[in-house]
Amino acid sequence: MPKGDIVLVFDCGATNVRVIAINSDGTVLASESYPNNTRPDPFFPSYRIWDIKEIWNKMCIASKKVIRCINHKDIAGITVTTFGVDGTLFDRTGEMLYPVISWQCERTNAVMANIGKYIPLVDLYGETGVLPFNFNTINKLIWFIEQKPELVEKCYRFLFMPSIFIFSLTGEMVNDTTMAGTSMLTDLCSRGFSDSITDKIGFPAEKLGVPVEAGTIVGKITSFASAETGIPEGLPVVATGHDTQFAIFGSGAEKNQPVLSSGTWEILMVRSERFRSGNEQLEMGITTELDSRPDLYNIGNQWIASGVLEWARRNLYSDIKKDVYEVMINGAEKVTRGCNGVKVIPKFYEELKGKPGGQISGLTMESTRDEIYRAMLESLSERLLEGKNALEKAGGFKTESILCVGGGSKNRLWNKLRADYTGVPVRIIDQKETTVLGASLFVQAACGNAASPEEARCAINYKTVIIEPNSI
């Protein structure tokens, strides 16, 4: 039984490496962060990799600082979350055979473009539900097969990013389902790696292992890891995994409750009991991943969002030196719906293919920057409606409300437009650390502080503001 309710979350993001101590009511007790960056591949300098040793060292320094701020006797357990898809090959002794190829690396572009020589894309998408992004894990495995077959032969286990650091903490090599679900290698129905896909690309399925479900205790802190991190030896380490899945759970989302994470990009995702992965979903940009809980699927849609608004700030409001966002919102609130004929059409689909852009139409000699900015907000709200409808069709459910988190949730006019265009209430969640919180809830349950992650979540006081439709 655990001695306390503090969870240590090792969180590796693309821009920051963090260690956070969070307790059972969701209070962050201590946090330490260091910048994270890709590095040139030492074998191919034009390509990008993650320096695992550098990241681990930052995690260890951060952990020791966090440990000094809490009572280590109150630690219930530890877990690791990261971005999806990335990982690399290890031999049986635990030696990393090649650096971790970053999702930002372009070496796999040609692999994805020619994936049909292994598997027809429609079949691959139909089984895995994952959109054909160049950075998908399947493309990295094919790159290894084509460029480094001797390493594939030597490989004992391919480990995803969270599993690499869990190995450093416990000495155990095990992957989890939420990371597996990002790989374009899984069968959505079985929640495991697809023998059919691995056979067709020529990567032995046993080298991926059998993924464990989130909330599984996969090992204990070793004496080596204790010396490196300052965490007492013997404490349990619990598998969580892909940050997106735990952000959704940490937001408080129940089944059929879409969550909008609004930032430079917007990601609309729902926890659904059903999914569709046909040509219509492929054309609409629907991706389906494995939820943090068995028998549920995370159906998602994404598009460029605040990135469009930042263009307006830089190019139309550069003369405003103070409170520029408030000036923009105030001005747009005075513009009537329809923006006097001004329309903004971002290329919501093309930007996934590296062709960002769009159109502004309906301009006259009397058009104002406030009309253009509001037209952007209206266009993004219309895109949210499209995304909601696409998710409902893929998951076979009806949206009752939309949870909204992230920086874009602070724009009051945008929130009103979102509710008005979608016709459902928008619920603004005042919870900044949804990924860390969500992962910690699985640790609380695994370590005996709650009967389930859902029960652990009941202890969280979610402060919610509700925006009803037709409020403008």
Side-chain angles (χ1 to χ4, degrees):
M1 291 294 290
K3 298 177 181 178
D5 70 339
I6 297 176
V7 174
L8 295 181
V9 180
F10 286 62
D11 179 40
C12 178
T15 56
N16 289 289
V17 175
R18 307 187 300 164
V19 175
I20 296 177
I22 184 171
N23 68 8
S24 57
D25 66 12
T27 301
V28 172
L29 304 175
S31 177
E32 190 67 31
S33 174
Y34 294 97
N36 194 21
N37 296 286
T38 59
R39 302 297 184 198
D41 187 323
F43 305 103
F44 299 93
S46 63
Y47 294 152
R48 308 301 292 180
I49 57 99
W50 298 109
D51 187 330
I52 294 300
K53 184 176 180 180
E54 178 186 8
I55 295 172
W56 172 247
N57 286 339
K58 289 176 179 178
M59 285 180 167
C60 291
I61 295 169
S63 178
K64 287 180 176 178
K65 289 186 176 181
V66 167
I67 290 291
R68 288 199 290 267
C69 297
I70 62 175
N71 185 346
H72 63 79
K73 294 182 180 180
D74 290 334
I75 300 173
I78 301 92
T79 193
V80 183
T81 68
T82 77
F83 41 79
V85 307
D86 290 354
T88 196
L89 311 173
F90 285 76
D91 70 13
R92 189 176 292 273
T93 69
E95 179 186 354
M96 190 168 66
L97 300 177
Y98 196 87
V100 174
I101 299 170
S102 170
W103 58 267
Q104 301 173 33
C105 182
E106 296 183 354
R107 80 183 75 195
T108 52
N109 291 3
V111 177
M112 189 75 255
N114 295 293
I115 196 70
K117 74 179 184 180
Y118 293 97
I119 313 170
L121 178 57
V122 64
D123 295 340
L124 186 59
Y125 177 75
E127 184 170 1
T128 69
V130 176
L131 284 173
F133 295 118
N134 295 330
F135 51 65
N136 288 345
T137 316
I138 189 173
N139 300 318
K140 295 164 186 174
L141 294 188
I142 292 173
W143 187 87
F144 282 128
I145 291 164
E146 294 178 345
Q147 304 297 326
K148 299 287 182 180
E150 72 282 3
L151 297 184
V152 175
E153 179 67 26
K154 191 177 180 181
C155 170
Y156 168 71
R157 184 75 77 237
F158 177 93
L159 293 180
F160 291 96
M161 285 287 277
S163 300
I164 293 172
F165 299 116
I166 283 177
F167 174 64
S168 296
L169 292 167
T170 67
E172 302 293 336
M173 293 188 185
V174 59
N175 287 313
D176 71 89
T177 53
T178 64
M179 286 296 293
T182 70
S183 66
M184 213 177 195
L185 292 162
T186 52
D187 181 322
L188 279 170
C189 297
S190 71
R191 288 181 71 85
F193 293 108
S194 166
D195 290 335
S196 172
I197 294 173
T198 55
D199 285 348
K200 288 174 181 175
I201 67 172
F203 190 89
E206 63 267 19
K207 294 180 184 291
L208 293 163
V210 177
V212 301
E213 293 291 350
T216 302
I217 296 177
V218 293
K220 296 181 179 180
I221 297 293
T222 63
S223 59
F224 166 80
S226 178
E228 292 274 293
T229 64
I231 302 171
E233 182 179 354
L235 285 176
V237 177
V238 178
T240 51
H242 186 215
D243 48 18
T244 299
Q245 273 61 51
F246 298 95
I248 295 170
F249 191 88
S251 73
E254 301 290 352
K255 288 186 292 187
N256 301 330
Q257 170 73 78
V259 179
L260 179 67
S261 178
S262 181
T264 301
W265 286 75
E266 285 193 324
I267 301 174
L268 183 67
M269 191 166 274
V270 69
R271 309 176 69 212
S272 175
E273 294 175 303
R274 293 184 292 277
F275 70 92
R276 291 181 181 175
S277 55
N279 282 331
E280 183 178 359
Q281 284 71 45
L282 179 60
E283 288 298 317
M284 276 297 296
I286 294 289
T287 197
T288 303
E289 298 175 354
L290 299 175
D291 187 67
S292 55
R293 300 293 273 163
D295 302 320
L296 291 178
Y297 308 94
N298 293 160
I299 304 170
N301 201 199
Q302 65 185 51
W303 53 89
I304 193 75
S306 292
V308 176
L309 305 182
E310 285 301 298
W311 178 92
R313 181 189 62 79
R314 292 192 309 270
N315 293 281
L316 303 180
Y317 295 86
S318 61
D319 60 311
I320 307 298
K321 305 304 180 185
K322 184 179 180 181
D323 299 327
V324 61
Y325 297 107
E326 186 63 25
V327 171
M328 294 167 71
I329 294 170
N330 279 336
E333 285 176 327
K334 297 179 176 67
V335 176
T336 58
R337 182 165 175 169
C339 310
N340 296 319
V342 176
K343 293 184 179 296
V344 175
I345 309 172
K347 292 185 178 179
F348 289 122
Y349 304 103
E350 288 82 348
E351 79 274 299
L352 294 177
K353 303 172 184 176
K355 300 177 181 178
Q359 298 176 350
I360 302 175
S361 64
L363 293 175
T364 70
M365 296 296 288
E366 288 75 37
S367 296
T368 67
R369 62 186 182 182
D370 293 336
E371 290 172 347
I372 296 172
Y373 175 60
R374 179 171 177 127
M376 289 177 171
L377 294 176
E378 291 190 4
S379 179
L380 290 168
S381 300
E382 187 173 3
R383 180 62 184 87
L384 175 59
L385 173 61
E386 290 180 20
K388 177 185 80 74
N389 292 341
L391 261 61
E392 288 177 337
K393 189 165 188 178
F397 68 95
K398 186 70 175 175
T399 299
E400 299 295 332
S401 65
I402 296 173
L403 295 178
C404 188
V405 299
S409 69
K410 297 177 174 62
N411 188 318
R412 62 180 179 274
L413 174 58
W414 198 359
N415 290 332
K416 292 176 181 178
L417 289 168
R418 286 167 171 146
D420 205 31
Y421 271 79
T422 61
V424 298
V426 172
R427 305 168 67 90
I428 311 302
I429 306 299
D430 183 20
Q431 187 64 244
K432 297 180 178 63
E433 293 287 358
T434 53
T435 295
V436 170
L437 173 61
S440 75
L441 298 173
F442 281 77
V443 180
Q444 296 288 0
C447 294
N449 287 339
S452 67
E454 289 79 8
E455 181 182 285
R457 193 170 60 178
C458 290
I460 308 303
N461 180 21
Y462 288 98
K463 298 175 183 178
T464 306
V465 175
I466 301 175
I467 312 297
E468 297 288 347
N470 304 311
S471 58
I472 54 175

